[in-house]
Amino acid sequence: MRNPVPRGGSARLAFSTNKKNESSFISMISESNPGAAALDIGAVKAFVLAAQLQSFTRAGEALGISQAAVSLKLRRLEEQLGHRLLERTPRQVRLSVEGAVFLDAARALVASHDLALSAFRTQPRRLVLGINHLLVGSELPSLLRRIRDLDAGLRIEMRVGATGELMQAYERGELDAALVLRPPEKRKQGKAAFAETFSWFAAPGWRPPAGQPLPLATQGDPCRVRAAAVRALDRAGIAWEEVFIGKGAAILGAAAAGGMAVAALPARAAPAGAIDAAAALSLPKIPAQDVMLYSALNDRRSREALRVLTLAFR
């Protein structure tokens, strides 16, 4: 009969261990298990992904295995280490204290393993990605880190633009893949990656001028998000006026943070100086927009990179 795994306190995912803690944890394991078998790299990778994505289901999707298989790998890893690494609840997966300490060492082990596997790759792989400019926000560095951790041999060229612009580049063969809001016309090869939610963002404490139409910052016409946003306002009987037109979340977010207007943005792309003001201003809900992935790539390295990319956005 296996010994039960000791429970530890919980810790937030933002917890960052230092080298001293990391070494102490590894030494503790080594001393308590001098003849222990080598760690299962698949289980360690499942742990890292579950910690990053905060979900067994999404970790399984990234690894191409079931949620149950992820759970089994993690349970066996915890039993081998003698420490509970993750706290599970029906709605949340989060690191335990021991899991937070082990995370850096686990990432290093996975990176070293992947580096060893790539030792005989003779050519780096170049991947040209197009991403809609309403989807790019402050989480881009962590997204790129995940792609780097997956395959350090990938050479990424990223282009940011409007859906129409990126789809034209994709059809000309200038892009290997495009992650865009669903184009108005039906196109083959694309698949729905996820649904992006939008809300109304404005400067903290901002209020529209009394007795005047709601000032809007938009991308102008045509734009699917603009169309959905003004349609929601019209249905709610709220008068509106475009006072600022710009392209991309960074520009619209600047107008909102600067107090010029309210802008329809995804939370991921809103700047630090803007807050979700939908409730405070009693503005209607904006329908979610489908995000489509277009790619004809078939090689394993590229498919894995694109899968990590879409999972990171979800």
Side-chain angles (χ1 to χ4, degrees):
M1 178 176 178
R2 292 172 174 166
N3 294 325
V5 178
R7 281 191 171 273
S10 61
R12 299 179 60 153
L13 286 176
F15 184 97
S16 177
T17 182
N18 57 38
K19 293 298 181 182
K20 182 178 179 181
N21 286 342
E22 179 181 321
S23 299
S24 298
F25 185 83
I26 295 174
S27 297
M28 177 175 66
I29 295 173
S30 300
E31 291 169 4
S32 60
N33 298 279
L39 297 178
D40 175 7
I41 191 65
V44 177
K45 185 173 289 189
F47 162 68
V48 170
L49 284 169
Q52 288 179 339
L53 301 173
Q54 300 181 31
S55 166
F56 283 12
T57 300
R58 292 170 65 188
E61 290 173 354
L63 293 170
I65 60 178
S66 67
Q67 176 184 349
V70 171
S71 181
L72 179 60
K73 284 179 178 291
L74 291 173
R75 186 167 69 250
R76 288 176 175 171
L77 178 63
E78 289 175 329
E79 289 174 349
Q80 183 179 5
L81 295 175
H83 295 274
R84 183 173 293 281
L85 303 177
L86 294 166
E87 300 291 353
R88 296 97 156 156
T89 68
R91 294 185 178 182
Q92 188 180 26
V93 173
R94 62 180 181 177
L95 286 170
S96 67
V97 171
E98 292 89 345
V101 174
F102 181 58
L103 183 57
D104 282 354
R107 282 174 172 158
L109 178 59
V110 171
S112 297
H113 172 267
D114 291 346
L115 180 63
L117 289 180
S118 66
F120 298 104
R121 289 176 178 163
T122 57
Q123 294 292 334
R125 175 72 169 93
R126 182 169 177 267
L127 194 60
V128 185
L129 302 174
I131 301 180
N132 185 279
H133 51 198
L134 284 177
L135 302 177
V136 176
S138 59
E139 63 184 16
L140 184 59
S142 63
L143 184 154
L144 295 177
R145 176 184 176 179
R146 292 178 190 179
I147 296 179
R148 181 209 64 191
D149 289 346
L150 172 74
D151 189 343
L154 282 175
R155 303 294 180 261
I156 304 292
E157 178 180 338
M158 183 173 290
R159 302 183 189 179
V160 177
T163 291
E165 171 190 349
L166 294 176
M167 289 308 301
Q168 290 176 11
Y170 176 72
E171 291 171 351
R172 290 194 300 266
E174 298 173 6
L175 299 177
D176 294 317
L179 194 66
V180 298
L181 299 180
R182 184 186 291 275
E185 67 277 10
K186 292 183 178 180
R187 298 171 185 261
K188 296 180 179 179
Q189 296 182 331
K191 66 176 183 179
F194 58 94
E196 183 64 279
T197 57
F198 287 78
S199 192
W200 302 99
F201 284 84
W206 181 87
R207 291 291 184 274
Q212 296 184 28
L214 180 71
L216 296 185
T218 79
Q219 293 197 118
D221 198 21
C223 171
R224 288 180 66 88
V225 176
R226 175 193 181 276
V230 300
R231 189 181 305 118
L233 291 174
D234 290 340
R235 289 175 177 172
I238 298 174
W240 54 272
E241 179 186 6
E242 281 176 311
V243 300
F244 182 90
I245 294 178
K247 299 299 181 183
I251 302 300
L252 297 182
M260 292 188 65
V262 65
L265 295 169
R268 76 173 76 249
I275 63 171
D276 189 337
L281 300 176
S282 300
L283 296 176
K285 184 178 180 179
I286 302 171
Q289 302 293 311
D290 287 336
V291 175
M292 306 294 292
L293 175 65
Y294 292 87
S295 178
L297 296 173
N298 293 316
D299 65 287
R300 180 180 177 276
R301 292 177 70 185
S302 299
R303 290 200 313 270
E304 287 297 307
L306 291 177
R307 182 163 62 174
V308 169
L309 174 73
T310 53
L311 282 171
F313 267 104
R314 286 168 54 181

